[in-house]
Structures are given as C-alpha cells and as structure tokens.
Amino acid sequence: MLCASYPNILNESEYLRSCIEIDSTNADNKYDLCRFRYYDNFQYHYDLSTLDLPEWGMRNATVEVTEKGSDDVIWKMHI
C-alpha cells in the first residue's frame, strides 16, 4: 500500500494495481491512496474464513484495511 500511495508508481505498474485490486474489488473506492504514505495510521485485519487451501498458508485470505481508531473498512483485497 505504501508503493500504491505514489501515483507515478501505481500508474506504471499493472501488477501493483492488480495486487491491491484497484480495478476489481475496489473499483468504486474513492479513498485517497496517497494517505497510505503515513502507514502507521492504518490497521490490517485478516479474514481467514476465505482461505481456499489452508494447508498452503494464507492463500485467498481477505485483508481489510482500516484507519486506526475506526472500524470502517477503507480498502479490501485478497492475498
């Protein structure tokens, strides 16, 4: 998310855009990604109920990003 906070990097990397699901899961999300430069302001929560092969690790776990002090999910992606 830190790399994605720099528009020039994000715009040049289709791989990064797919990793953070900017055009799929977050297609309607208007959150200002530049705010992720202050990475200490965020918490990451992992939903393991979406794992498809637990024996292979965290494949397909859902990551929900919130700002510290808030329960509102501002970004969601799968790993």
Side-chain angles (χ1 to χ4, degrees), residues 46-53 58-63 78:
Y46 302 93
D47 179 359
L48 303 181
S49 70
T50 59
L51 294 178
D52 53 3
L53 293 169
M58 293 183 65
R59 189 176 108 160
N60 208 37
T62 302
V63 181
H78 300 86

Side-chain angles (χ1 to χ4, degrees), residues 4-71:
S5 73
Y6 293 89
N8 57 321
I9 295 173
L10 186 61
N11 292 336
E12 294 295 321
S13 176
E14 184 176 333
Y15 174 73
L16 180 56
R17 288 193 308 276
S18 72
C19 285
I20 67 166
E21 301 179 25
I22 197 166
D23 297 322
S24 56
T25 305
N26 296 288
D28 296 325
N29 192 332
K30 303 299 181 209
Y31 192 78
D32 180 7
L33 295 180
C34 291
R35 296 179 70 179
F36 281 104
R37 292 178 192 173
Y38 307 100
Y39 55 88
D40 282 344
N41 294 341
F42 301 93
Q43 301 176 111
Y44 300 85
H45 306 278
Y46 302 93
D47 179 359
L48 303 181
S49 70
T50 59
L51 294 178
D52 53 3
L53 293 169
E55 64 274 10
W56 291 64
M58 293 183 65
R59 189 176 108 160
N60 208 37
T62 302
V63 181
E64 296 179 333
V65 183
T66 61
E67 290 180 336
K68 286 184 179 176
S70 173
D71 291 330

